[in-house]
């Protein structure tokens, strides 16, 4: 039986780097071991090497009452190969968030209902869509 689940979240200032590490299962979160795919895209030129290069300045420079990131958690179908999951995720992202900077991870923990796999996508993204104008990190998150 297929299930459908979507959850939407918004992150407060100062929480983006830690959440980025959580979805990527890095550092203090690496013991979970359920991440099977991860990636990022649409980053400005100063953050092309790592999503942490983007989320750090987002935490520092986003306005106090702004969302530093938004996140969609989306249930994915069971039984797909990694290649199929990757294609599905990469096909979904542009339709969901357009050209906004993003980071994603697919987790496959054990389901608490039947013990099978529970594949789901964590799509963390910024409201700061790319407009083709190059800006420094401190200007990228400023409201003009």
């Amino acid at each position: 039986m297929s299930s459908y689940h979507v959850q939407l979240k918004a992150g407060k200032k100062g929480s983006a780097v830690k959440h980025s590490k959580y979805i990527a299962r890095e550092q203090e979160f690496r013991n979970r071991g359920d991440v099977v795919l991860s990636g990022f895209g649409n980053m400005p030129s100063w953050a092309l090497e790592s999503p942490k290069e983007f989320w750090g300045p987002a935490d520092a420079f986003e306005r106090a009452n702004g969302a530093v990131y938004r996140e969609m958690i989306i249930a994915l179908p069971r039984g797909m190969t990694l290649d199929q999951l990757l294609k599905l995720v990469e096909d979904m992202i542009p339709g969901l968030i357009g050209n906004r900077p993003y980071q994603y991870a697919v987790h496959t923990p054990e389901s608490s209902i039947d013990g099978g796999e529970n594949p789901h996508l964590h799509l963390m993204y910024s409201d700061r869509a790319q407009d083709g104008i190059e800006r420094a990190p401190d200007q990228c998150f400023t409201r003009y």
Side-chain angles (χ1 to χ4, degrees):
M1 179 168 136
S2 296
S3 68
Y4 180 76
H5 175 84
V6 173
Q7 184 177 7
L8 304 173
K9 296 181 176 184
K12 296 180 182 178
K13 185 172 179 155
S15 64
V17 170
K18 185 172 183 177
H19 195 70
S20 170
K21 290 188 291 188
Y22 170 77
I23 70 168
R25 301 300 199 238
E26 295 174 342
Q27 295 176 357
E28 67 265 34
F29 303 105
R30 79 177 140 232
N31 62 342
R32 294 185 174 226
D34 60 355
V35 67
V36 294
L37 293 171
S38 64
F40 62 95
N42 295 339
M43 296 291 176
S45 63
W46 45 266
L48 292 175
E49 297 298 316
S50 169
K52 284 186 253 31
E53 293 175 355
F54 181 81
W55 300 121
D59 276 338
F61 300 119
E62 183 62 64
R63 63 187 199 278
N65 64 345
V68 177
Y69 69 89
R70 299 196 187 271
E71 181 184 24
M72 293 182 200
I73 303 171
I74 303 170
L76 298 173
R78 286 182 173 179
M80 296 181 85
T81 67
L82 287 181
D83 287 339
Q84 290 170 325
L85 281 173
L86 180 62
K87 178 158 178 31
L88 175 63
V89 167
E90 289 182 345
D91 287 348
M92 285 176 21
I93 289 174
L96 292 171
I97 62 167
N99 69 342
R100 291 175 173 85
Y102 69 89
Q103 177 182 358
Y104 75 86
V106 174
H107 298 169
T108 57
E110 184 177 299
S111 170
S112 59
I113 297 172
D114 64 5
E117 69 176 13
N118 177 22
H120 57 276
L121 168 67
H122 288 261
L123 178 58
M124 181 179 177
Y125 62 97
S126 173
D127 286 336
R128 306 299 178 171
Q130 298 290 340
D131 61 4
I133 299 171
E134 195 63 35
R135 292 184 177 87
D138 61 333
Q139 293 177 334
C140 185
F141 300 97
T142 303
R143 182 187 286 179
Y144 288 95

